[in-house]
Amino acid sequence: MPAIECRGLTLYHGKTPGVVDLDLVVERGEVFGFLGPNGAGKTTTLRLLLDLLRPDRGSARVLGEEVRAGGARLRRRIGYLPGDLALFPWATGAETLELFARLQDRPPARRDETLERLGFPRPALDRAVRTYSTGMRQAIGIALAFQHDPEVLVLDEPTTGLDPMVRESFLDLVRDARARGATVLLSSHVLSEVDRVADRVGLIARSRLRLVEEVEALRRRWPRRVTVRLRDGSQRVFEEAGEMGALLDRLRALDPVDVEIAPASLEEVFRAVVAEAAVT
């Protein structure tokens, strides 16, 4: 049974589409990158999965349960980091973590490990959250999502405000969660990070899901940039999609001195799909 399953999921904000006819399956134990430009429907979808919004039509199931019927029992099995994280400014970090542990009704087995790996200064846990930097607040938010060792992690722009070293530690936390069998649904604008940890990606644009594919398959299918230096000293640059065998045949015919092949990046795929969606 999939970790997440949406069928025909649709929600309008008044007359404005939030997400339309979304069919999506996220398998257990995978990291799924959920991508799209601002306003495309990413956050709306995540909130529908957590029953924070109710759809106009369609269904959403998490861990085999319909999200509305699952209620608090289901949400205990999910770790959520919202993109618009808001914490109680008067509470200390420690109080915040303990409050959510009581709400989650599960022991915070991974709290200390998560804070340590994110480099969070332990003495700061006794300070009010209003004194924290953006990165410190985000680290607390990540700890809130991970601390009860959930089966599904739903993370909306999780690296906002984190410095580069802490971003690396966060990506390691995601990899380790997958290794334990957890499912991670990761929505992010930082495509290079998604490229490094995701097994598959889905791209939503203009409220509709436009593409779902394995990251490696995307790299193979989208054009590679090929730079060829020839024996007469000239240079040719072109793009080539498809199987590597066809590219090698073309290169042999050119009889090159040197060849440089740059695979398509996730960012290039993202731009191409969004541009195509803009005219459909």
Side-chain angles (χ1 to χ4, degrees), residues 45-57:
T45 301
L46 301 189
R47 290 174 177 170
L48 286 165
L49 289 173
L50 292 155
D51 199 33
L52 299 174
L53 294 173
R54 298 280 170 81
D56 295 321
R57 64 175 184 268

Side-chain angles (χ1 to χ4, degrees), residues 9-73:
L9 198 62
T10 299
L11 175 67
Y12 281 80
H13 305 292
K15 294 184 178 180
T16 304
V19 61
V20 179
D21 294 331
L22 177 69
D23 292 332
L24 177 65
V25 173
V26 179
E27 301 295 345
R28 294 191 185 227
E30 76 169 330
V31 178
F32 189 92
F34 196 45
L35 310 175
N38 288 332
K42 301 188 303 299
T43 295
T44 295
T45 301
L46 301 189
R47 290 174 177 170
L48 286 165
L49 289 173
L50 292 155
D51 199 33
L52 299 174
L53 294 173
R54 298 280 170 81
D56 295 321
R57 64 175 184 268
S59 65
R61 302 177 72 85
V62 176
L63 296 171
E65 293 196 68
E66 202 280 328
V67 294
R68 187 171 185 180
R73 180 188 66 255

